[in-house]
Amino acid sequence: MTQEISAIYPGSFDPVTNGHLDIVERGRSIFDRVVVAVSVNQDKNPLFTIEERIEMLRDVTRQWDNVEIDQFDGLLVDYATSRGASVILRGIRAVTDFDYEFQMALMNRRLAGSIETVFLVPAEAYEYLSSSLVKEVASLGGTVSGLLPLLVEELLSAKLEALTDADKEL
Ligand code: ADP
């Protein structure tokens, strides 16, 4: 019997976009299991709570039986080892991602030589898509349809509305 390969797909997913899902879908067709792991300590000022981000991810990956959603704290390689994963999956977009991603991949290899980082490229339509850009455009009233799952789009607009209302009350 060949050994099953699990991949960890780490990130802040604040919120999950169609670009993230594109990578999950490609990853799940290569590896036996993909664990989407939301980083607890990465982003100091997220728009969505960790619970909200996890719930959205669970909702939009429900149809994929070899995809699991989890959260992690501390060193990614320690988490990957604890999950028995031998692969760190990352999505790579335009050239701007390379420098940071190379640094991370080499540092993680230094920390845990048996874990390989695998980069996947999304469909062209998502090449310039990021959670932060989506949040910026949506907060300025621009349309982000087609860039996010419908449920996430609705939750994003509700969240931004709630924030605007809270601002008005100050
Ligand atoms: P991080 O803060 O760790 O970059 P993100 O949630 O922004 O977390 O991204 C998680 C992973 O998904 C990263 O590897 C990132 O490069 C990748 N990613 C984000 N957006 C896209 C996209 N539109 N297409 C492909 N990969 C993406």
Side-chain angles (χ1 to χ4, degrees), residues 121-161:
V121 176
E124 271 174 79
Y126 306 132
E127 197 58 49
Y128 292 96
L129 174 59
S130 69
S131 299
S132 44
L133 192 57
V134 159
K135 285 184 281 189
E136 194 177 332
V137 170
S139 71
L140 296 171
T143 176
V144 290
S145 62
L147 303 178
L148 304 169
L150 199 56
L151 167 98
V152 177
E153 198 185 323
E154 285 165 8
L155 290 170
L156 176 62
S157 106
K159 175 71 100 178
L160 291 172
E161 217 165 280

Side-chain angles (χ1 to χ4, degrees), residues 9-13 19-20 23 42 90-91 93 97 101 122 126 129:
Y9 180 35
S12 21
F13 305 101
H20 292 128
I23 299 297
Q42 201 172 38
R90 296 286 286 176
R93 288 161 294 186
D97 275 344
E101 293 292 340
Y126 306 132
L129 174 59

